[in-house]
Structure formats: structure tokens, C-alpha cells
Amino acid sequence: MALELLASHGCFGGQQRFYRFDSGAIGRPMRVGVYLPPQALAPGAAPVPAVFFLAGLTCSEETFAIKAGAQRVAADLGLALVTPDTSPRGAGVPGEDADWDFGLAAGFYLNATQAPWATHYRMEDHIVHELPGVLAQQLPLDVARLGLCGHSMGGHGALTLALRHPGRFAAVTALAPICAPSQVPWGEKAFSGYLGPDRSAWTAHDASALMAAQERVPYPDGILIDQGLDDKFLASQLRPEVFEAACAAIGQPLTLRRHAGQDHGYFFIQSHIEDHLRWQARALNSGA
Amino acid sequence: MALELLASHGCFGGQQRFYRFDSGAIGRPMRVGVYLPPQALAPGAAPVPAVFFLAGLTCSEETFAIKAGAQRVAADLGLALVTPDTSPRGAGVPGEDADWDFGLAAGFYLNATQAPWATHYRMEDHIVHELPGVLAQQLPLDVARLGLCGHSMGGHGALTLALRHPGRFAAVTALAPICAPSQVPWGEKAFSGYLGPDRSAWTAHDASALMAAQERVPYPDGILIDQGLDDKFLASQLRPEVFEAACAAIGQPLTLRRHAGQDHGYFFIQSHIEDHLRWQARALNSGA
């Protein structure tokens, strides 16, 4: 699966690149953004660790790369940033473009089990099993050292994929994540469509349910979550207090920071992304 | 001219706001972005200095605010950031939406003298004579301390407005500016349309011609320009070497930094905006 370079932009001494490749997991061409810090581009350089950032509803592989201001910090820390897309594109599933919170740009980072979604909507396989190998084969990334971060739907993706694949990601952090999707409208709609009406199948993709079911503390060094208190989705869709309670119940350290005056968008994300990348770098043993 | 608040987003302890107001200069409602750093929001705080950032072709009052990652630095320095739009909107001039490099989002930061543009396309008045007063009346901005920065068409705007209005802006810096518009296709098209075919009227809006005509050094502490060497517009549209020669001829100190591997977009801008804001802050006697 050769990566086709679509664009490369010099940025803080590194390169912000965008690739396309034929995804076996999705069965469609997929795009992905990769920021390579200067440390990865030096002649004879060792591969660098990477943070995967999973974006929210309506976003693409470009959104975080354009809006978060993260490359400056990644360049400082010697971290690569990998930004997958948020759903298959061009699969042509009937109705996939009908709503902004389901289907296109709303893949919810899981493998759908229900027709007609199950064929292409396999974002979990794409991100966990496919992308690291594809990227490592052709880029100077050390995919034995991966961190996971995400926003909103992508925060749900980060927390659930980290808990579903122990040992795969050295750290997990999130910004305004959907913390209890089984209990909120976005998650009920997505899980009903992708996983079917049987709610017992949903708990395996619900960060709070997953955390509550852990037999041992999955991230002893803690999990970082930032949440704006002026976020209009906070009470209706995000519910960090549910995840907070689940962490407390099993003894998982959680740094949940609540920020007065901040909302759900990238002005909030850019305010805190440096802390997330420095948190990730400590776990990945990278940078300062 | 009351400012109508369209949106406010918490960002690095300050607020990224977007306003609309009935512009007398333009004769239409205009939008403007304002980032207020935390220093401006503290109870009893003194007004803060501001940097006006003029954006390039196709951009709006949102582009720099979303893509440049500048608020972090502005918050550190106690600078406000003002991002005007790039042309009148909704004026309904025939043909204004025909091309991406003339008319809508391509106002070139001048007052048009030719029909049908002269009625509304008065961006110089809007930015130099109208916005500072309107903003200062309702926001904690010290408009006796203004700096000017811009990109591409906005770099042309920054250099020309700074030279046309001595003493108005304490500092001027630019990223990939159109330096000699009278000699390049973008400028020839814009000046022909807005100013008419008589080229003698163009020199008053050409940064290099303006600099060459200065009787004394306008910015003794220097001017900062960054330029990417992989910028596809460099030789055909930007021509920094013309401005460089004009500065040298009159003794204007110029720091013109040429960057290998960087192109024309916001990945380039975000790489250097911190240096521009720190340069501006020194002239505005703000921050560290």
C-alpha cells in the first residue's frame, strides 16, 4: 500500500504532509496527514515517536493540521503527528451524507457490524491495525512508540481505542471527548446505526463502560482530559463526569481540567494542545 | 457605529471575537476579528496595543485567526490582534465575484478611484481611518500604539499603508508580501481596475516605489519580511528583491529572511508569526 504524496509544506523546520493510499481496511482510498518534525528529517536520523490525533464530527485529515497550532510543539519535542480522516470517503453507502453526525465525517472510530455500513466503515481497523504499519514502512516513524489524542468524537475514539488495545498506545489524552456515548444522542445514533439496536454491543465502544470494566489500572501515569465549561455540548453529549466516576471507581488517575469561558472548537484546542503533546512526549520518552 | 458581537471564543486566557458593524468608509456592513489578550480583560486593565494583520487573496477576517496560531504569542505579549476582512462584501458591483484575484476578497487595501469600484472599495479608509476609532470606542485597545503586519496581498497592504501614513503604525512587518505590484500580474490587474490605466497613479500604492521615494528612513529600527523559497508566487508576483533594493537605496534597514523549503501558505506563516509579533511588541513597548 504505497503512500501517494499529495502535498508537503515546510513548517517549523519539519514538513506537514498529506498522503493518500488504497486502504485495505476501508476498501477505499484514504487520506492521512503526517507532520514530520525536523528530527525525523535529519540525515541518518532515528525514527521518531508519533501521536495520532483523532478529529471530531465534520472534520477531515486536514482540520487539526490547519487549526491546532500543534506543529510548533511537535517540532520542539521531536514528535510526529498523524491525523487520520474521520470516515471512509466515496463509499457510496446510501444515506451516508444525509446527516452531519452520522456517516461521512462521522465514523466514530469503530468497525461497523451492521449492513450497509460494515463493508467500508471500519475505522478501528484502519487506525489501529493498518495505519501504523503503512506509515512505518515508508516514513521514519517508530510505531512502537505511539500516543493517542482526540477531540469530541475523536476524544471518544482516543479513549476507546486506547482501552480496547492495551499496550498499543503509550499515552491517551483527550479534549472535550464524548465520554459516555451509550447515554447521549450522538452516540445512540451512531451505535444504533453502526452496531445495531442491541445495547449490550455498545459497551465495548463506550469509554466510561470500558473503564468501569477494567480489572487493573490501564494508564497508571494518568489520563489528561481538557473540557471547556462554555461548551454547548458538555451536558448533552460529552458527560465527562461519567468517565471521571468510572476512573475513580477503578483507581485510574485522571487529570480532568475544566476551563471557564472556553467552548468546543479549535480556539479551545489550540489553547491546550501544548500540554497534551508534552504529556504524550513524557510517556513516549521524547523531547525534554 | 456600534460593534455587533457575532462570536466570542476563549483562547489562551483571552477572547477571540468576531464583530460586524456598519462601515461608513465602505458603505456596507463589515466584519472584523479581534483577539483580546488576557491583559485586556483584567478588571481595571489599561488598554493594550494592537497589531493589525492584513490577510491575502481569498481570505477573510477569520483566516488568520483560525490558521496562524498567533493568539498564544499575543497572550504572552499582551497584544491585541485585529483582522480586517479583505474587501467589501455584498456591494453587488458587477463582476466582483468573477475572479479570485480581483474584487471580492481582493480589495488590495486601497481606495479605488475608478467606477464602479470607487463607491465601496475603500479599504484604505476602512483600515487606517475608520477601524482604529471604532474599535477604541468600544474595546480596551490603545490605538495610539498600532503595528501593522500582513501576508501576500496583505503584505502589500501593510507595507504601503505604513509608508502612506507616517507615524500611524509603530512597526511594519510582512510575510511573502507583494512587493512591487506595478510590475506583476496581480498588481497590474488590481491597479488597472481600481486605479485606472494611468500607471503614474500606481506608484503611490507600490511599496517599492513608495520606499524609493522616501526622503528619510521611515522605520529606523528596521522592517522584517519573511519569504519562503518554495513559494510558487515568489518570482512572478512577490519580487522581494525589488523592495530590498529600494530599502538599500535610501538606507532603510530591512531584515529579509529567505526560508528554504517553505511555500506561500499558513504552514509558513505559523512558523514565523511569533518573530513578527515579538518584533511588533518591541516597537509597541509591550510585553517582554
Side-chain angles (χ1 to χ4, degrees), chain A residues 133-156:
Chain A
V134 169
L135 296 174
Q137 207 164 27
Q138 296 166 71
L139 295 173
L141 302 189
D142 176 5
V143 293
R145 289 190 290 160
L146 294 183
L148 193 54
C149 181
H151 169 238
S152 195
M153 175 183 74
H156 144 77

mmCIF file of all heavy atoms in Angstrom, chain A residues 133-156:
data_model
loop_
_atom_site.group_PDB
_atom_site.id
_atom_site.type_symbol
_atom_site.label_atom_id
_atom_site.label_comp_id
_atom_site.label_asym_id
_atom_site.label_seq_id
_atom_site.Cartn_x
_atom_site.Cartn_y
_atom_site.Cartn_z
ATOM 1 N N GLY A 133 1.430 0.407 10.430
ATOM 2 C CA GLY A 133 2.307 -0.362 9.549
ATOM 3 C C GLY A 133 2.561 0.329 8.226
ATOM 4 O O GLY A 133 3.703 0.378 7.737
ATOM 5 N N VAL A 134 1.521 0.848 7.646
ATOM 6 C CA VAL A 134 1.666 1.533 6.355
ATOM 7 C C VAL A 134 2.610 2.726 6.488
ATOM 8 O O VAL A 134 3.488 2.943 5.640
ATOM 9 C CB VAL A 134 0.280 1.988 5.839
ATOM 10 C CG1 VAL A 134 0.434 2.931 4.653
ATOM 11 C CG2 VAL A 134 -0.563 0.778 5.462
ATOM 12 N N LEU A 135 2.443 3.477 7.555
ATOM 13 C CA LEU A 135 3.276 4.666 7.733
ATOM 14 C C LEU A 135 4.725 4.291 8.046
ATOM 15 O O LEU A 135 5.658 4.884 7.500
ATOM 16 C CB LEU A 135 2.697 5.551 8.839
ATOM 17 C CG LEU A 135 1.311 6.144 8.555
ATOM 18 C CD1 LEU A 135 0.788 6.891 9.784
ATOM 19 C CD2 LEU A 135 1.341 7.061 7.339
ATOM 20 N N ALA A 136 4.899 3.294 8.915
ATOM 21 C CA ALA A 136 6.262 2.932 9.330
ATOM 22 C C ALA A 136 7.070 2.366 8.171
ATOM 23 O O ALA A 136 8.295 2.495 8.140
ATOM 24 C CB ALA A 136 6.205 1.920 10.473
ATOM 25 N N GLN A 137 6.365 1.744 7.227
ATOM 26 C CA GLN A 137 7.064 1.153 6.099
ATOM 27 C C GLN A 137 7.724 2.222 5.228
ATOM 28 O O GLN A 137 8.734 1.967 4.575
ATOM 29 C CB GLN A 137 6.045 0.378 5.263
ATOM 30 C CG GLN A 137 6.620 -0.767 4.474
ATOM 31 C CD GLN A 137 5.520 -1.705 3.990
ATOM 32 O OE1 GLN A 137 4.377 -1.269 3.801
ATOM 33 N NE2 GLN A 137 5.853 -2.955 3.782
ATOM 34 N N GLN A 138 7.150 3.417 5.228
ATOM 35 C CA GLN A 138 7.623 4.407 4.264
ATOM 36 C C GLN A 138 8.071 5.719 4.886
ATOM 37 O O GLN A 138 8.558 6.606 4.173
ATOM 38 C CB GLN A 138 6.499 4.663 3.232
ATOM 39 C CG GLN A 138 6.196 3.401 2.418
ATOM 40 C CD GLN A 138 4.901 3.481 1.642
ATOM 41 O OE1 GLN A 138 4.812 4.215 0.674
ATOM 42 N NE2 GLN A 138 3.893 2.748 2.068
ATOM 43 N N LEU A 139 7.912 5.848 6.185
ATOM 44 C CA LEU A 139 8.291 7.104 6.843
ATOM 45 C C LEU A 139 9.088 6.797 8.103
ATOM 46 O O LEU A 139 8.940 5.714 8.684
ATOM 47 C CB LEU A 139 7.031 7.907 7.205
ATOM 48 C CG LEU A 139 6.189 8.396 6.028
ATOM 49 C CD1 LEU A 139 4.888 9.011 6.528
ATOM 50 C CD2 LEU A 139 6.970 9.398 5.200
ATOM 51 N N PRO A 140 9.912 7.744 8.553
ATOM 52 C CA PRO A 140 10.760 7.495 9.721
ATOM 53 C C PRO A 140 9.986 7.613 11.035
ATOM 54 O O PRO A 140 10.300 8.446 11.891
ATOM 55 C CB PRO A 140 11.850 8.568 9.586
ATOM 56 C CG PRO A 140 11.173 9.693 8.873
ATOM 57 C CD PRO A 140 10.188 9.058 7.931
ATOM 58 N N LEU A 141 8.965 6.758 11.185
ATOM 59 C CA LEU A 141 8.165 6.748 12.406
ATOM 60 C C LEU A 141 8.454 5.472 13.190
ATOM 61 O O LEU A 141 8.491 4.385 12.623
ATOM 62 C CB LEU A 141 6.670 6.784 12.076
ATOM 63 C CG LEU A 141 6.155 7.956 11.260
ATOM 64 C CD1 LEU A 141 4.626 7.924 11.219
ATOM 65 C CD2 LEU A 141 6.638 9.273 11.829
ATOM 66 N N ASP A 142 8.619 5.635 14.501
ATOM 67 C CA ASP A 142 8.802 4.491 15.388
ATOM 68 C C ASP A 142 7.434 4.129 15.951
ATOM 69 O O ASP A 142 7.015 4.657 16.985
ATOM 70 C CB ASP A 142 9.777 4.864 16.510
ATOM 71 C CG ASP A 142 9.935 3.737 17.521
ATOM 72 O OD1 ASP A 142 9.370 2.636 17.303
ATOM 73 O OD2 ASP A 142 10.617 3.970 18.534
ATOM 74 N N VAL A 143 6.738 3.208 15.286
ATOM 75 C CA VAL A 143 5.356 2.936 15.689
ATOM 76 C C VAL A 143 5.264 1.995 16.885
ATOM 77 O O VAL A 143 4.176 1.610 17.295
ATOM 78 C CB VAL A 143 4.508 2.416 14.502
ATOM 79 C CG1 VAL A 143 4.346 3.519 13.473
ATOM 80 C CG2 VAL A 143 5.093 1.160 13.894
ATOM 81 N N ALA A 144 6.427 1.629 17.441
ATOM 82 C CA ALA A 144 6.375 1.014 18.764
ATOM 83 C C ALA A 144 6.156 2.078 19.846
ATOM 84 O O ALA A 144 5.870 1.745 20.995
ATOM 85 C CB ALA A 144 7.665 0.246 19.050
ATOM 86 N N ARG A 145 6.278 3.331 19.458
ATOM 87 C CA ARG A 145 6.039 4.434 20.405
ATOM 88 C C ARG A 145 4.952 5.341 19.851
ATOM 89 O O ARG A 145 5.228 6.298 19.120
ATOM 90 C CB ARG A 145 7.322 5.228 20.641
ATOM 91 C CG ARG A 145 8.357 4.451 21.462
ATOM 92 C CD ARG A 145 9.508 5.360 21.887
ATOM 93 N NE ARG A 145 10.345 5.740 20.759
ATOM 94 C CZ ARG A 145 11.170 6.793 20.759
ATOM 95 N NH1 ARG A 145 11.235 7.582 21.818
ATOM 96 N NH2 ARG A 145 11.897 7.068 19.695
ATOM 97 N N LEU A 146 3.718 4.988 20.173
ATOM 98 C CA LEU A 146 2.568 5.762 19.697
ATOM 99 C C LEU A 146 1.786 6.311 20.882
ATOM 100 O O LEU A 146 1.583 5.623 21.889
ATOM 101 C CB LEU A 146 1.621 4.880 18.869
ATOM 102 C CG LEU A 146 2.126 4.341 17.534
ATOM 103 C CD1 LEU A 146 1.004 3.558 16.849
ATOM 104 C CD2 LEU A 146 2.622 5.478 16.645
ATOM 105 N N GLY A 147 1.319 7.532 20.711
ATOM 106 C CA GLY A 147 0.379 8.111 21.658
ATOM 107 C C GLY A 147 -0.918 8.427 20.935
ATOM 108 O O GLY A 147 -0.951 8.501 19.701
ATOM 109 N N LEU A 148 -1.992 8.615 21.694
ATOM 110 C CA LEU A 148 -3.305 8.804 21.084
ATOM 111 C C LEU A 148 -4.007 9.977 21.759
ATOM 112 O O LEU A 148 -4.055 10.059 22.992
ATOM 113 C CB LEU A 148 -4.109 7.512 21.248
ATOM 114 C CG LEU A 148 -5.402 7.316 20.456
ATOM 115 C CD1 LEU A 148 -5.184 7.512 18.965
ATOM 116 C CD2 LEU A 148 -5.970 5.925 20.744
ATOM 117 N N CYS A 149 -4.518 10.859 20.934
ATOM 118 C CA CYS A 149 -5.216 12.045 21.435
ATOM 119 C C CYS A 149 -6.384 12.295 20.500
ATOM 120 O O CYS A 149 -6.366 11.882 19.333
ATOM 121 C CB CYS A 149 -4.253 13.242 21.441
ATOM 122 S SG CYS A 149 -4.940 14.800 22.057
ATOM 123 N N GLY A 150 -7.422 12.963 20.987
ATOM 124 C CA GLY A 150 -8.537 13.254 20.098
ATOM 125 C C GLY A 150 -9.484 14.270 20.684
ATOM 126 O O GLY A 150 -9.412 14.611 21.877
ATOM 127 N N HIS A 151 -10.372 14.755 19.828
ATOM 128 C CA HIS A 151 -11.311 15.822 20.196
ATOM 129 C C HIS A 151 -12.742 15.393 19.896
ATOM 130 O O HIS A 151 -13.029 14.938 18.792
ATOM 131 C CB HIS A 151 -10.983 17.073 19.384
ATOM 132 C CG HIS A 151 -12.015 18.163 19.476
ATOM 133 N ND1 HIS A 151 -12.660 18.675 18.376
ATOM 134 C CD2 HIS A 151 -12.523 18.821 20.555
ATOM 135 C CE1 HIS A 151 -13.508 19.615 18.760
ATOM 136 N NE2 HIS A 151 -13.446 19.735 20.072
ATOM 137 N N SER A 152 -13.596 15.541 20.880
ATOM 138 C CA SER A 152 -15.031 15.308 20.690
ATOM 139 C C SER A 152 -15.260 13.862 20.228
ATOM 140 O O SER A 152 -14.900 12.930 20.958
ATOM 141 C CB SER A 152 -15.589 16.337 19.708
ATOM 142 O OG SER A 152 -17.005 16.360 19.765
ATOM 143 N N MET A 153 -15.826 13.625 19.050
ATOM 144 C CA MET A 153 -15.927 12.243 18.557
ATOM 145 C C MET A 153 -14.564 11.578 18.550
ATOM 146 O O MET A 153 -14.445 10.372 18.828
ATOM 147 C CB MET A 153 -16.516 12.226 17.148
ATOM 148 C CG MET A 153 -16.535 10.839 16.505
ATOM 149 S SD MET A 153 -17.162 10.834 14.800
ATOM 150 C CE MET A 153 -15.778 11.557 13.892
ATOM 151 N N GLY A 154 -13.521 12.352 18.238
ATOM 152 C CA GLY A 154 -12.169 11.802 18.253
ATOM 153 C C GLY A 154 -11.640 11.580 19.661
ATOM 154 O O GLY A 154 -10.746 10.744 19.873
ATOM 155 N N GLY A 155 -12.178 12.298 20.633
ATOM 156 C CA GLY A 155 -11.838 12.015 22.029
ATOM 157 C C GLY A 155 -12.433 10.683 22.458
ATOM 158 O O GLY A 155 -11.779 9.879 23.133
ATOM 159 N N HIS A 156 -13.665 10.454 22.036
ATOM 160 C CA HIS A 156 -14.270 9.117 22.200
ATOM 161 C C HIS A 156 -13.383 8.074 21.530
ATOM 162 O O HIS A 156 -13.070 7.026 22.127
ATOM 163 C CB HIS A 156 -15.681 9.113 21.581
ATOM 164 C CG HIS A 156 -16.065 7.840 20.914
ATOM 165 N ND1 HIS A 156 -16.456 6.716 21.620
ATOM 166 C CD2 HIS A 156 -16.106 7.487 19.600
ATOM 167 C CE1 HIS A 156 -16.720 5.729 20.764
ATOM 168 N NE2 HIS A 156 -16.521 6.174 19.541
#
